[in-house]
């Protein structure tokens, strides 16, 4: 997430939508009084250590993936209106697969240590209890709802059937990141990851800058995924608002 007073823009970073690439490209154009949470080394440090100081009127803390509604509440309406506000979205299926691949990569170093017994799976699924052993007691990633779902069902279809998976903030519909409480879009421009070239041209023209846009933080597939029609229907139901709002 970026709030740039010097350039007069706000960038909303939606999970798995090239946000790291975009923020990395925008970072070189920022000034000392601008806010960047995540993506760059300094942005990640600020997100981890200082974001708790960025508190909105409703008491919410502004973070790397805060929604437009949350940031508007932090800035107040009159200040919000003075910024050019934009983001990038992605086809729901592609985005979900990217998140799944990301989770697989995160869990990969612990592959030999994370096999759960039937009893341990039942404790995790029914009571949200992780095993009391290494690495579960030492690594914060095992608190992520998405990782918990992957521990229970390593295949993509199975992960989507786990209730814990849908509690992960990364799975919320993209529409929630760009709208107000009434469901109205409150951003000035929404690009698509499938059209990054067009997005780049629009932002360069609007902000009068040059962007060196690379696709960073790319999750490389770790498994071959064949989606059943049932899974496609499940995704379409979960992300009905995204399909309609962004014409996917």
């Amino acid at each position: 997430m970026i709030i740039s007073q010097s350039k007069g823009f706000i960038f909303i970073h939606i999970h798995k939508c090239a946000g790291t690439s975009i923020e990395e490209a925008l970072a070189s154009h920022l000034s000392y009084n601008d806010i960047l949470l995540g993506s760059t080394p300094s942005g990640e440090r600020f997100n981890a250590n200082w974001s708790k100081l960025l508190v909105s009127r409703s008491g919410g803390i502004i973070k790397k993936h805060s929604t437009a509604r949350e940031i508007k509440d932090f800035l107040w309406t009159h200040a919000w209106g003075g910024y050019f506000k934009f983001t990038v979205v992605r086809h729901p299926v592609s985005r979900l697969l990217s998140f799944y691949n990301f989770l697989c990569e995160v869990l990969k170093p612990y592959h030999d240590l994370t096999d759960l017994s039937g009893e341990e799976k039942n404790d995790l699924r029914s009571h949200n209890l992780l095993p009391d052993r290494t690495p579960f007691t030492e690594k914060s990633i095992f608190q992520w709802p998405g990782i918990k779902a992957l521990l229970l069902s390593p295949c993509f279809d199975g992960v989507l059937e786990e209730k814990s998976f849908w509690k992960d903030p990364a799975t919320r519909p993209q529409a929630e990141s760009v709208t107000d409480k009434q469901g109205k879009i409150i951003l000035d421009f929404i690009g698509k990851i499938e059209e990054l070239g067009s997005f780049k041209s629009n932002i360069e023209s609007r902000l009068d800058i040059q962007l060196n846009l690379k696709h960073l933080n790319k999750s490389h597939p770790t498994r071959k995924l064949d989606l059943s029609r049932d899974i496609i229907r499940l995704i379409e139901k979960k992300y009905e608002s995204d399909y309609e709002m962004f014409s996917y």
Side-chain angles (χ1 to χ4, degrees):
M1 185 280 296
I2 296 176
I3 301 176
S4 173
Q5 297 184 53
S6 65
K7 291 290 185 180
F9 74 83
I10 294 172
F11 173 69
I12 306 297
H13 186 165
I14 299 175
H15 293 85
K16 309 314 297 178
C17 290
T20 297
S21 303
I22 294 165
E23 288 180 337
E24 182 78 13
L26 289 167
S28 62
H29 301 283
L30 300 180
S31 297
Y32 72 94
N33 60 335
D34 295 332
I35 299 173
L36 166 60
L37 300 181
S39 297
T40 68
S42 61
E44 290 293 354
R45 287 194 299 272
F46 195 97
N47 187 57
N49 300 318
W50 299 103
S51 67
K52 59 181 177 290
L53 299 178
L54 307 177
V55 182
S56 68
R57 287 179 294 162
S58 59
I61 296 176
I62 302 305
K63 297 182 178 180
K64 178 178 180 178
H65 295 292
S66 288
T67 67
R69 187 188 314 172
E70 292 167 338
I71 297 172
K72 182 179 181 180
D73 188 44
F74 167 70
L75 290 174
W76 297 74
T77 300
H78 68 278
W80 171 264
Y83 289 90
F84 171 66
K85 304 159 292 283
F86 64 100
T87 193
V88 170
V89 297
R90 186 175 193 171
H91 191 285
V93 174
S94 174
R95 177 171 172 260
L96 210 51
L97 286 172
S98 178
F99 180 51
Y100 168 73
N101 288 326
F102 167 74
L103 293 175
C104 290
E105 289 189 359
V106 169
L107 195 58
K108 189 175 182 179
Y110 311 100
H111 178 72
D112 295 334
L113 303 171
T114 53
D115 286 338
L116 303 185
S117 66
E119 183 178 356
E120 288 173 332
K121 286 187 176 182
N122 183 64
D123 285 342
L124 180 55
R125 183 176 286 117
S126 301
H127 307 292
N128 196 31
L129 294 176
L130 287 163
D132 186 20
R133 57 183 169 87
T134 302
F136 305 107
T137 56
E138 298 177 358
K139 301 295 181 180
S140 61
I141 63 165
F142 294 104
Q143 298 302 320
W144 300 359
I147 288 292
K148 290 180 178 179
L150 192 61
L151 290 171
L152 292 168
S153 302
C155 68
F156 182 71
D157 292 35
V159 165
L160 266 64
E161 293 173 353
E162 296 293 339
K163 292 181 180 179
S164 61
F165 180 73
W166 300 105
K167 295 179 181 179
D168 200 295
T171 65
R172 69 185 172 200
Q174 298 164 94
E176 294 182 10
S177 291
V178 305
T179 56
D180 60 16
K181 292 181 180 179
Q182 288 71 45
K184 179 182 177 181
I185 293 175
I186 54 176
L187 299 186
D188 301 305
F189 176 66
I190 299 175
K192 292 184 175 182
I193 196 172
E194 298 86 1
E195 302 168 358
L196 276 182
S198 175
F199 167 83
K200 178 176 180 290
S201 298
N202 272 283
I203 298 307
E204 287 180 332
S205 175
R206 180 63 177 77
L207 300 181
D208 192 25
I209 60 176
Q210 292 294 313
L211 291 179
N212 181 20
L213 190 58
K214 300 177 289 184
H215 196 177
L216 306 176
N217 199 25
K218 184 177 181 180
S219 300
H220 301 281
T222 57
R223 307 157 197 253
K224 183 177 180 180
L225 303 172
D226 296 312
L227 303 183
S228 68
R229 188 57 208 168
D230 286 343
I231 291 299
I232 294 294
R233 281 196 289 266
L234 172 62
I235 296 172
E236 289 175 344
K237 182 178 180 180
K238 290 285 187 181
Y239 296 104
E240 182 178 1
S241 59
D242 286 358
Y243 280 98
E244 180 178 354
M245 185 169 291
F246 309 122
S247 300
Y248 278 118

